[in-house]
Amino acid sequence: VRPVRTSAPSTTAALAEVVRRAAEDGLTVKAAGSGHSFTGVAATDGVLIRPDRLTGIRSVDRAAGTVTVAAGTPLKRLNEALAAQGLSLTNMGDIMEQTVSGAVSTGTHGTGRESASLAAQITGLELVLADGSVTRCSADENPDVFAAARLGLGALGVISEVTFAVEPAFLLHAREEPMPFAQVVSEFDQLVAENEHFEFYWFPHTDGCNTKRNNRSAGPARPLPRVRGWVDDELLSNGVFQAACSLGKRAPATVPSVARISSRALSARTYTDIPYRVFTSPRRVRFVEMEYALPREAAMDALRELKTLVARSGFRVSFPVEIRTAPADDIPLSTASGRETAYIAVHMYRGTPHEAYFTAAERIMTAHGGRPHWGKLHSRDAEYLADVYPRFAEFTALRDRLDPDRLFGNDYLRRVLGA
């Protein structure tokens, strides 16, 4: 993007002044996070707000079980600060490079039987609105704004701080092991029911999957040995995988053979550690991604269709397909709004043609009523999205009230929310 100007305010008051000046000058405003999203959700040719100085924990309320954090704080910094105080989020995604406001605004989620999304863990928000005023919202204060703004795509205002529910630090026992595709698909519902957090990866061109089950543990902590962790997470999952993807990009015919090797490279392992060291992992191999949220009962049929598609096509897919779950929540634009959900995420190595594969996969997902992840690649528009989100009109009506002149609008929001 080439904004007219860029600003990096360090306080809520300074952020409000940036918004007021932009409105006076007739410029649109967008706040960017870490740039992790694959869409143009934060793009603007007006005023671009950077998060670099709007960071840090503002308060911890142990009695209430909450932490209030500035919007631009990276999740990694939040997790480390909470751990130092003996606290933790209940759940999180598998990457922690995003800012807290960027993550919640685009629907970042992990996997879980009772919890998954970051937005569902929010208990309060502070927003700068289009007129430069600052408003606070929670379930008790401005509840209509709170309901929608927990996942607002930056369309309702600029988040200045977020209050999360937290709990005393706990341990998670991770069990990772290979499993045949047919077994994991047939036992999917049982695996979800029996584990607090279950996810798996299917390696295209193979019948191999890698499963991960995370459950709370009384301890003691048994982290991965440093050498084993480096071999699995850095050497195999990043270094060797980077080389394999690079080879596949240069010589696509090698992808199926390399995929079969990759599916067998990671052996079973167990370990017990604090949550963010179990939920998250380093991802250094660059990729592009599309993810769809499906009704959980439809997900395995959709995955079987995707497997058949890859087998019958000329696609060469070097990245695994990731499957996670989430309980239903009450956030209007949450991908899990009102329904038990399973996520299917497809990836391609950066620089490899992805359009045909993603388009074909998207046809499968939309045939099952899928909802695209707001921060990942997709082709859906407001007409489609209004049909799969029962509370879509509730969100757009609130947007009309809070930002009638579309100070916070851009091309992406015009496509997904309408003019």
Side-chain angles (χ1 to χ4, degrees), residues 8-12 14-15 53-55 58:
S10 60
T11 65
T12 298
L15 174 61
R53 300 171 65 214
L54 198 65
T55 62
R58 293 185 169 176

Side-chain angles (χ1 to χ4, degrees), residues 123-125 136-147:
T123 63
L125 287 171
R136 292 181 179 274
C137 58
S138 67
D140 300 317
E141 183 180 13
N142 298 310
D144 57 337
V145 177
F146 176 70

Side-chain angles (χ1 to χ4, degrees), residues 323-388:
I323 295 86
R324 294 177 285 176
T325 68
D329 63 41
D330 63 350
I331 304 171
L333 291 190
S334 167
T335 46
S337 183
R339 71 187 190 192
E340 295 283 326
T341 295
Y343 297 94
I344 299 179
V346 298
H347 312 68
M348 286 289 273
Y349 181 54
R350 189 175 67 172
T352 302
H354 66 273
E355 292 83 359
Y357 172 46
F358 281 17
T359 297
E362 191 173 40
R363 289 195 196 102
I364 293 172
M365 305 306 160
T366 55
H368 290 280
R371 300 167 177 170
H373 189 297
W374 295 107
K376 299 177 184 179
L377 297 177
H378 67 92
S379 68
R380 300 298 89 188
D381 60 15
E383 181 180 7
Y384 174 88
L385 294 165
D387 190 51
V388 295

Side-chain angles (χ1 to χ4, degrees), residues 102-338:
V104 299
S105 294
T106 54
T108 292
H109 62 89
T111 188
R113 188 177 58 202
E114 283 94 26
S115 68
S117 84
L118 282 175
Q121 298 172 68
I122 295 174
T123 63
L125 287 171
E126 182 182 77
L127 284 170
V128 177
L129 301 181
D131 60 1
S133 64
V134 178
T135 188
R136 292 181 179 274
C137 58
S138 67
D140 300 317
E141 183 180 13
N142 298 310
D144 57 337
V145 177
F146 176 70
R150 285 174 291 170
L151 201 168
L153 305 180
L156 304 177
V158 180
I159 296 174
S160 48
E161 68 177 34
V162 182
T163 300
F164 289 106
V166 294
E167 58 180 302
F170 55 93
L171 293 172
L172 282 174
H173 177 71
R175 174 183 170 189
E176 302 174 13
E177 63 182 342
M179 187 178 291
F181 181 90
Q183 181 183 355
V184 70
V185 168
S186 66
E187 298 178 4
F188 178 70
D189 288 334
Q190 178 182 346
L191 290 163
V192 171
E194 291 177 349
N195 295 280
E196 291 179 75
H197 310 277
F198 175 72
E199 64 184 302
F200 72 96
Y201 294 85
W202 164 60
F203 294 83
H205 311 292
T206 80
D207 290 313
C209 297
N210 199 49
T211 64
K212 184 172 183 179
R213 303 170 227 199
N214 297 331
N215 291 285
R216 295 198 184 209
S217 169
R222 290 192 176 90
L224 277 173
R226 182 170 297 182
V227 173
R228 174 69 188 274
W230 180 84
V231 169
D232 287 352
D233 295 334
E234 291 294 347
L235 179 61
L236 294 178
S237 296
N238 286 295
V240 173
F241 187 50
Q242 172 72 62
C245 289
S246 298
L247 174 62
K249 180 180 176 181
R250 293 194 305 270
T254 65
V255 168
S257 297
V258 171
R260 287 189 286 272
I261 296 171
S262 298
S263 70
R264 296 191 294 267
L266 295 175
S267 58
R269 65 181 189 178
T270 61
Y271 55 98
T272 304
D273 210 334
I274 60 176
Y276 83 85
R277 292 177 185 156
V278 175
F279 285 131
T280 70
S281 56
R283 300 290 176 87
R284 309 195 201 287
V285 183
R286 295 301 184 95
F287 55 87
V288 292
E289 180 178 3
M290 179 179 73
E291 180 179 68
Y292 264 82
L294 304 180
R296 209 181 82 188
E297 64 273 13
M300 293 302 98
D301 285 342
L303 184 61
R304 290 186 187 97
E305 292 170 32
L306 183 65
K307 187 173 188 291
T308 299
L309 169 72
V310 172
R312 293 178 178 175
S313 71
F315 302 141
R316 295 293 178 260
V317 184
S318 56
F319 254 84
V321 174
E322 182 181 22
I323 295 86
R324 294 177 285 176
T325 68
D329 63 41
D330 63 350
I331 304 171
L333 291 190
S334 167
T335 46
S337 183

